[in-house]
Amino acid sequence: MHVPFLLKSLNKKQLSILRNKFSFYKKLYPKQQRFFEHRVASFISDKDFIGRDGVEVTEEMKVLISATAVMLTFGFRDFYIGLIDKIFIYPEAFYSKINDSYHKGEFNPKLQALVLSWKDFEAGYEIENDNLNLGIHEFAHAIHLNSYKEGDVSSAIFSDSFKELIDLLSNDEGLRKSLVESEYFRNYAYTNQFEFIAVIIETFIETPQEFKSLFPEIYAKTKQMLNFHFAGY
């Protein structure tokens, strides 16, 4: 993990939210927690958080959304996810012109925007072991696409490891079959490669021990993608 010379700080209210409402943070060593706080503060200051349909953006929204991004990129040197400039927050599922339907979340790389339903974002953390987490899922899409755009080492590790994972699955019919038959990953994972990576990252974060036990090779590749060497993973 890259350690900056000067660490930014969260204010008391922000720190209280992080300590009380973000369980991943609690699993880190004190020194790691300090780096995590710095990254959350940096991410908040780097992005525009915009409320839609009457949403008033709160400190809790900023902290928990930013903490989700920071958690997924905690093993990266560059954690800003450059493809995201704006984060739009709706109260609940919103109408999307992309495919004329209602969405709980989406990532729009052309607009450099991540869009979230706050109701569904919160629901993702209410049950922390059901492998369903909107924030993780949408940020995983952004990180995946960002890895193709950026030339830094973390992006290279992510994209190279994902290619290794796809090659592994392509060459091992037995593994593919057991993956589908296990029903461990929800069916949405098999829509395309983009949804597959988002679902396996959700699963990696929420039920790591079960994941590691059932599919150790896939778990190892996911861990390698994220360079995730902390909090018991």
Side-chain angles (χ1 to χ4, degrees):
M1 189 193 313
H2 175 62
V3 183
F5 181 65
L6 292 172
L7 296 177
K8 291 185 179 179
S9 296
L10 295 167
N11 63 41
K12 283 185 179 179
K13 185 176 182 180
Q14 291 171 330
L15 193 54
S16 176
I17 293 164
L18 187 61
R19 285 174 173 166
N20 294 316
K21 297 205 168 191
F22 205 75
S23 60
F24 175 80
Y25 171 83
K26 298 174 193 175
K27 298 173 189 173
L28 298 171
Y29 295 121
K31 191 174 182 181
Q32 292 173 326
Q33 287 181 337
R34 184 65 190 93
F35 297 146
F36 197 89
E37 293 161 22
H38 159 77
R39 288 190 166 196
V40 170
S42 300
F43 196 90
I44 288 171
S45 64
D46 187 63
K47 312 302 178 189
D48 289 327
F49 293 82
I50 303 159
R52 286 282 190 254
D53 287 357
V55 167
E56 188 173 328
V57 177
T58 64
E59 289 298 314
E60 182 172 327
M61 291 174 181
K62 289 182 182 180
V63 169
L64 296 182
I65 291 170
S66 299
T68 301
V70 168
M71 171 175 65
L72 295 179
T73 59
F74 204 44
F76 294 8
R77 186 183 177 97
D78 180 359
F79 60 92
Y80 284 105
I81 316 177
L83 268 183
I84 297 175
D85 184 41
K86 300 173 286 292
I87 297 171
F88 292 99
I89 307 165
Y90 283 80
E92 51 192 11
F94 53 90
Y95 184 76
S96 172
K97 292 180 180 177
I98 290 177
N99 58 0
D100 292 326
S101 63
Y102 281 86
H103 288 193
K104 295 176 182 178
E106 67 183 34
F107 172 58
N108 188 322
K110 286 184 180 178
L111 297 178
Q112 292 188 294
L114 193 80
V115 191
L116 298 167
S117 151
W118 180 244
K119 177 184 175 182
D120 293 289
F121 178 89
E122 284 192 302
Y125 283 106
E126 282 169 10
I127 304 171
E128 294 204 334
N129 62 352
D130 63 354
N131 298 330
L132 283 167
N133 186 299
L134 175 70
I136 292 171
H137 189 94
E138 297 304 331
F139 273 117
H141 282 317
I143 291 165
H144 185 190
L145 287 171
N146 197 68
S147 73
Y148 295 133
K149 173 184 171 285
E150 302 290 347
D152 64 294
V153 65
S154 299
S155 295
I157 290 169
F158 186 93
S159 54
D160 289 350
S161 300
F162 182 57
K163 185 179 182 302
E164 289 171 15
L165 173 57
I166 295 303
D167 289 345
L168 170 70
L169 290 168
S170 298
N171 297 323
D172 192 333
E173 188 179 345
L175 180 58
R176 289 201 310 276
K177 189 177 178 183
S178 63
L179 204 64
V180 175
E181 288 178 350
S182 73
E183 297 183 350
Y184 177 55
F185 300 104
R186 65 186 189 276
N187 286 337
Y188 194 55
Y190 308 112
T191 308
N192 55 51
Q193 288 188 5
F194 291 97
E195 296 305 339
F196 181 71
I197 198 169
V199 171
I200 65 169
I201 289 173
E202 274 177 283
T203 310
F204 176 85
I205 295 294
E206 294 225 328
T207 56
Q209 298 312 315
E210 187 179 3
F211 192 165
K212 190 175 184 179
S213 172
L214 287 171
F215 300 105
E217 290 175 292
I218 299 173
Y219 176 89
K221 289 297 180 190
T222 310
K223 181 174 178 172
Q224 182 179 304
M225 264 193 290
L226 297 172
N227 191 30
F228 221 79
H229 302 285
F230 21 75
Y233 284 85

